[in-house]
Amino acid sequence: AGLLGQAAGVMRDVTSAHVSLQVDGTLSPLPVRSADGVVARGGEAKATAVIALGGLSVTYQIVEIGGTTYLKGPTGGFSGVSTASIYDVSLLLDPDRGVASLLGQATGGVTQAQERVAGVDTYRLTASVPTAVVQGLANLAAGQDRVTATLWIAVSGGHLIQASIPLKIEGSTKVTTVTAQLSDFNAPVDITAPVDATASPSP
């Protein structure tokens, strides 16, 4: 409980981070397999994402700023859509709805071991956490307001370094695990809208 409370307080003050996302299994409606980029509190993000489309892995460039998400596929330029209509990546750092809230509402925490993750000494914990932070990223099967996640919290500094969250997706019989790794906390972020973007995105 002490580690979780400390991490919640530390992450509440984080204004930017590098985030790497890996998906083991199927997500719906956003069939993301992986993503890597920077996120800033206040509605800004820039990332590269691999999305499963028609049995193929397609790489997209993503820029989120000012309530608009711009997408660029393998061909063509950027096109924009309201961020509210898809997953808002910047919510990860929202102190009331993102990872800080997830940690603050975690219960039943058990410290399992010390491990080194991405060059950082961490404590590995399991805890029951709310799934609100992934709402919009996936259509969850019923009865998953909370799940048991594995969390890695830095020994020094108390930042959340990694989180692994198992989910049951509506219509799927297999468990999907979403793993997020965070680093470069509070580094300067300069994200601007693509100058050649069109008004509506291609699917």
Side-chain angles (χ1 to χ4, degrees):
L3 284 171
L4 290 166
Q6 177 193 21
V10 169
M11 294 305 297
R12 195 169 286 115
D13 293 333
V14 170
T15 57
S16 68
H18 183 275
V19 180
S20 293
L21 189 74
Q22 293 291 327
V23 178
D24 182 9
T26 302
L27 284 184
S28 173
L30 293 176
V32 177
R33 290 183 173 171
S34 65
D36 186 86
V38 293
V39 179
R41 184 192 297 181
E44 298 178 350
K46 185 176 183 179
T48 299
V50 177
I51 298 174
L53 293 176
L56 300 175
S57 295
V58 181
T59 300
Y60 276 80
Q61 304 298 317
I62 302 170
V63 176
E64 181 180 318
I65 187 169
T68 298
T69 298
Y70 300 93
L71 307 173
K72 182 181 184 299
T75 60
F78 280 94
S79 52
V81 63
S82 169
T83 299
S85 67
I86 58 174
Y87 185 68
D88 185 355
V89 179
S90 69
L91 288 180
L92 290 172
L93 299 183
D94 186 294
D96 299 317
R97 294 181 289 173
V99 294
S101 176
L102 178 147
L103 292 164
Q105 296 181 64
T107 59
V110 177
T111 306
Q112 296 181 320
Q114 266 191 255
E115 290 183 349
R116 195 164 178 83
V117 176
V120 178
D121 291 324
T122 70
Y123 295 112
R124 188 185 76 220
L125 299 84
T126 57
S128 172
V129 301
T131 56
V133 72
V134 295
Q135 294 290 348
L137 184 63
N139 289 333
L140 303 184
Q144 290 185 95
D145 291 336
R146 301 182 71 89
V147 296
T148 299
T150 304
L151 309 168
W152 288 260
I153 296 173
V155 172
S156 176
H159 291 91
L160 178 67
I161 301 301
Q162 186 168 280
S164 185
I165 304 176
L167 303 167
K168 292 180 181 178
I169 307 302
E170 192 175 63
S172 176
T173 58
K174 297 182 178 180
V175 173
T176 293
T177 301
V178 177
T179 301
Q181 194 173 96
L182 295 88
S183 60
D184 296 337
F185 300 102
N186 298 323
V189 173
D190 183 15
I191 297 173
T192 56
V195 294
D196 58 347
T198 56
S200 59
S202 23

